[in-house]
Amino acid sequence: MVRGLLLVLSGPSGVGKTTIAHELIRRFGGHFSVSCTTRRPSAGERDGVDYRFVSEAEFAAMAARDAFLEHALVFGRSSYGTPREPVETSLRAGELVILDIDVQGAEQVHAKVPDMLGIFILPPDEASLLARLRQRGREDEAAIQRRFAEARLEMERARGNGVYDAFVVNDDLAGAIEQVAELVGARIGRVRA
Ligand code: ADP
Ligand code: 5GP
């Protein structure tokens, strides 16, 4: 059976995962998995594009019928999950599928799909991570500070769990994209500029 590549991108909020993922899709085709979440949409986010925004009840029902490839409670408050069916369909079609998920989710996917490619995106330093979170303009300062604190814990866990094939520092965006594209190209056996 022809199988595509499952790319798991993780890293702190605001580190540049979405930006990098969209460039990969432009180069390699495939699709970006739209997660379900119980959190409320932030300013500018669109239902069905950035996330599928669902109620707690709907999320629980999906989990109960095994509709998620993985799901996790992130930041101790909101649930996030990757709908299973679109991922499996695309992989069967030989496509690239990109998941932007947290470290707990990546651990679950790694257990189920051991040949996934895991890439963790790191900020150049803490000050620039904070600046990028603010630049997104999505949340108030308290939420930004909470995400910043979470980021430290997540980076520590990622280093020790054996799920990630590479850690890429997103300092210069073009350079980070090249590094990630090279890893993806090597795995799918083709390179596109
Ligand atoms: P994530 O998906 O990880 O939350 P985004 O891709 O939404 O992050 O990026 C957050 C913000 O940082 C965006 O405004 C994006 O344009 C900006 N950004 C991404 N990479 C860089 C970089 N290397 N240098 C400066 N700003 C960047
Ligand atoms: P945000 O709320 O900033 O969009 O995302 C918060 C965190 O949730 C990020 O670390 C992001 O990678 C993660 N996330 C987004 N979708 C999913 C998902 O479907 N599953 C898991 N486990 N984490 C997700």
Side-chain angles (χ1 to χ4, degrees):
M1 183 175 72
V2 180
R3 268 186 66 96
L5 176 65
L6 185 58
L7 169 63
V8 173
L9 279 184
S10 302
S13 287
V15 81
K17 301 180 297 293
T18 310
T19 311
I20 293 169
H22 284 127
E23 177 59 21
L24 292 174
I25 300 289
R26 194 189 68 73
R27 292 189 191 195
F28 295 100
H31 92 258
F32 184 66
S33 164
V34 179
S35 296
C36 294
T37 181
T38 59
R39 81 154 162 75
R40 275 193 236 114
S42 305
E45 285 185 327
R46 290 162 299 166
D47 188 31
V49 177
D50 301 290
Y51 283 104
R52 265 189 61 208
F53 296 98
V54 299
S55 64
E56 300 275 355
E58 193 179 343
F59 194 96
M62 287 180 75
R65 64 171 191 269
D66 202 23
F68 292 125
L69 178 63
E70 61 72 37
H71 62 95
L73 187 66
V74 179
F75 303 125
R77 274 186 328 280
S78 308
S79 296
Y80 293 77
T82 303
R84 174 197 300 281
E85 203 274 328
V87 173
E88 290 180 347
T89 301
S90 290
L91 289 179
R92 273 198 300 273
E95 292 174 2
L96 169 68
V97 181
I98 304 181
L99 310 185
D100 166 353
I101 61 176
D102 83 329
V103 174
Q104 309 169 70
E107 288 169 359
Q108 294 174 41
V109 174
H110 190 252
K112 289 180 185 161
V113 188
D115 65 349
M116 63 166 246
L117 175 63
I119 302 180
F120 195 92
I121 310 294
L122 291 165
D125 51 57
E126 295 194 340
S128 32
L129 177 60
L130 203 50
R132 280 182 214 168
L133 283 170
R134 291 188 175 127
Q135 189 187 324
R136 290 195 310 183
R138 278 186 6 193
E139 296 142 331
D140 61 24
E141 186 60 25
I144 287 170
Q145 291 295 339
R146 207 167 46 231
R147 284 182 191 281
F148 183 61
E150 275 291 327
R152 288 211 184 95
L153 296 175
E154 206 179 34
M155 290 189 273
E156 226 166 82
R157 181 163 172 173
R159 283 204 177 86
N161 69 6
V163 162
Y164 297 96
D165 298 281
F167 291 79
V168 171
V169 177
N170 180 16
D171 185 352
D172 159 55
L173 179 61
I177 288 170
E178 286 319 311
Q179 284 182 57
V180 176
E182 200 163 303
L183 291 160
V184 171
R187 282 290 292 268
I188 63 182
R190 64 202 161 100
V191 178
R192 282 198 205 151

